[in-house]
Amino acid sequence: MFVNDSIMGALNREAARPRWVREHRHAPWAAVGAVCVGAFMGQLDASIVTLTYPRLQSEFAAGLGSVQWVSLSYLGILAVLLIPVGRWADARGRKLLYLYGFGLFSLASAACALAPTLGWLVVGRGVQAVGAALLQANSLALVFLSVPRSRARTALGIQAAAQAAGLALGPSLGGFLVEAYGCRSVFWVNVPIGLVAIVAGHVLLPRSRHLTQRRGGDLTGFVLLAAAVVSGLLALSGLSGMPLPSPLLLALCVAAVVAAMIFWRVEGRASAPLVDRHLLRRGGLGAKLAGALLAYLLLFAPLVLYPTVFPTWGVSTTFGGLVLSCLPIGFALAAVGTNVLHLRASNQLRIAMGALGVFASLVTSAALWRSPVLVAGLLLLMGAFLGMVVPANNATVMAEVRASSSAVTGGMVNVARAMGTSLGVAVTAMGVHVATLHRWAGPDVVLPVLAVFALALAATALSRPTTSGRSMAGIAP
């Protein structure tokens, strides 16, 4: 009994870093590096799976509408769980749940690789999303709490660059793995990365401080949030071309709106709400979360749009993929470079300048999209401008909350990012669909719409931060 209690205690307790790690002058950056492994793997997995669709259709004799659930199950469960998992981490320990997340993600990846049917693969992806929620809900908080506040923006930029690197590598690596080893290999690749990350996180990540006292749950809010997100994602999928009967599509749209409205009202009265409405109003936090959504919408939309015009360019898929890689490459370079160069600009100014740069890139692209070489240069610029926006926006979000709420706020940022990614795909698909119906070119419809979203992103910089209630200090060994 004593042995069992000791084992359970060890499994429920965050381990301290070795003394030689926590006393090293580069210990904060080692912790950031450990978190970046998860950031890289999350984006790699998000971009690599889409390369498996044709092979999955053939292997399981299924249509694209069914195979899309390999992504939909992952994205829907991830978006629903990020906030409650973040709140749980604020009470239980961010390092503890982050490491368990890697373990679950790795095991689920192996299960996906071994799935005998499409249904089991979809279930495996859902379990994988639970592990991903444990990772992503804690990543921003772990980065912010591992470095001095004066270097937080630089650290968040490095994390954003790791995400962009995973996004950039996904299509090229996925194409190679699918061709050489089959579609199941894209799930196997997560297993060794996950094992390395668990060891690195155990040694390099600091223990949590400023944990909150565990309060009652918000089951009603969770159910309503799940209903709103799942219904909304299904409706967006239907509007993007997924074959759904019109009455069902209308019902999903109504359900998403009604569930969201009831959720907002319920959260105002809940004793322990999933979403703190007062927190959203603090320092324009709601506007900054909208900025995170818009930034990722703009980041992912071109990756869906431009492959539709590869035939008009007369280029191979390999060359087109190289053109698309310019966007995340520019994002990664700017996310790190603007901080390395120590540009003297406030976060609000960086967001505004970057968003206006994205707007200019999109307007220019609308006139020059028929030239792949010019598009490559414009995507590089657009990625660079987004690389200015995202770390600055994340820094303003995390600076507005107390350390005890850091993980739940990080979870809200990641929900905004997940929904932005979904909207980027859906808006682009709808735009291309409308263009096809009217015999127009997809970019002529989609790029002006994206330019409007870029102006909306610039407008989020107008909300001013507060200086009260911020206490992010306190790094544990």
Side-chain angles (χ1 to χ4, degrees):
M1 185 68 176
F2 175 77
V3 174
N4 290 337
D5 290 342
S6 298
I7 294 175
M8 291 303 299
L11 292 175
N12 285 280
R13 185 172 58 248
E14 291 185 330
R17 294 175 290 179
R19 182 176 179 180
W20 65 269
V21 172
R22 65 175 179 264
E23 293 181 355
H24 197 281
R25 62 191 181 94
H26 294 308
W29 299 108
V32 172
V35 175
C36 282
V37 176
F40 171 84
M41 193 167 80
Q43 292 301 309
L44 178 72
D45 187 76
S47 59
I48 204 174
V49 169
T50 57
L51 274 297
T52 68
Y53 283 179
R55 292 291 185 92
L56 291 175
Q57 287 179 261
S58 175
E59 180 171 341
F60 294 118
L64 182 59
S66 299
V67 169
Q68 283 181 337
W69 277 97
V70 174
S71 293
L72 287 177
S73 61
Y74 180 90
L75 182 59
I77 292 175
L78 179 64
V80 168
L81 288 180
L82 281 171
I83 293 178
V85 166
R87 209 173 98 181
W88 187 27
D90 281 333
R92 292 291 299 136
R94 302 169 192 102
K95 175 179 179 178
L96 181 70
L97 296 188
Y98 187 81
L99 295 180
Y100 277 129
F102 256 122
L104 183 59
F105 190 90
S106 301
L107 289 173
S109 296
C112 289
L114 297 170
T117 65
L118 181 60
W120 281 109
L121 177 57
V122 170
V123 171
R125 286 284 286 170
V127 177
Q128 199 178 37
V130 177
L134 293 170
L135 291 173
Q136 293 187 24
N138 291 288
S139 59
L140 284 178
L142 285 169
V143 168
F144 208 93
L145 295 173
S146 295
V147 299
R149 290 191 58 177
S150 61
R151 307 306 302 274
R153 190 164 60 184
T154 299
L156 292 170
I158 293 173
Q159 187 210 23
Q163 292 174 334
L167 178 64
L169 184 60
S172 57
L173 178 61
F176 168 75
L177 289 174
V178 169
E179 289 296 327
Y181 304 106
C183 59
R184 296 176 182 270
S185 61
V186 302
F187 301 109
W188 282 122
V189 74
N190 293 327
V191 177
I193 298 176
L195 294 176
V196 171
I198 291 172
V199 175
H202 178 78
V203 174
L204 300 177
L205 290 176
R207 289 183 295 180
S208 303
R209 280 184 180 172
H210 304 290
L211 296 178
T212 60
Q213 185 176 359
R214 195 166 183 178
R215 300 176 293 172
D218 183 14
L219 180 60
T220 302
F222 176 79
V223 172
L224 289 169
L225 177 63
V229 171
V230 173
S231 299
L233 288 176
L234 284 170
L236 287 173
S237 299
L239 294 173
S240 302
M242 184 177 178
L244 292 176
S246 297
L248 177 58
L249 181 58
L250 179 61
L252 288 170
C253 292
V254 173
V257 173
V258 171
M261 293 175 62
I262 298 175
F263 172 76
W264 184 252
R265 294 193 63 181
V266 167
E267 293 304 280
R269 301 193 300 266
S271 58
L274 291 177
V275 176
D276 189 335
R277 289 171 51 174
H278 299 291
L279 186 65
L280 286 178
R281 297 189 184 100
R282 180 183 298 163
L285 182 60
K288 299 308 178 188
L289 291 173
L293 183 150
L294 290 167
Y296 277 89
L297 185 157
L298 292 166
L299 180 62
F300 275 82
L303 303 180
V304 180
L305 171 63
Y306 282 112
T308 66
V309 300
F310 286 172
T312 66
W313 284 350
V315 301
S316 66
T317 303
T318 300
F319 182 84
L322 292 174
V323 171
L324 290 182
S325 68
C326 291
L327 179 65
I329 288 173
F331 181 89
L333 291 174
V336 177
T338 53
N339 291 292
V340 171
L341 295 175
H342 299 290
L343 298 181
R344 295 184 178 181
S346 67
N347 287 324
Q348 285 70 32
L349 183 57
R350 289 193 187 197
I351 294 170
M353 291 173 57
L356 292 176
V358 172
F359 171 79
S361 300
L362 289 166
V363 171
T364 307
S365 298
L368 303 176
W369 65 265
R370 290 173 177 83
S371 170
V373 175
L374 294 177
V375 167
L378 289 167
L379 285 175
L380 188 69
L381 285 174
M382 182 177 171
F385 287 125
L386 285 170
M388 292 175 58
V389 170
V390 171
N393 187 78
N394 287 347
T396 58
V397 169
M398 298 306 293
E400 287 301 319
V401 298
R402 298 179 178 88
S404 59
S405 299
S406 58
V408 72
T409 307
M412 292 166 66
V413 173
N414 284 297
V415 169
R417 185 177 67 189
M419 297 308 298
T421 302
S422 303
L423 288 172
V425 174
V427 168
T428 303
M430 285 187 287
V432 171
H433 181 64
V434 169
T436 302
L437 291 177
H438 292 84
R439 297 184 179 180
W440 298 331
D444 290 335
V445 174
V446 175
L447 291 174
V449 174
L450 296 181
V452 174
F453 285 125
L455 290 179
L457 176 59
T460 64
L462 298 177
S463 62
R464 301 188 63 84
T466 62
T467 57
S468 61
R470 293 180 289 181
S471 178
M472 299 297 291
I475 310 303

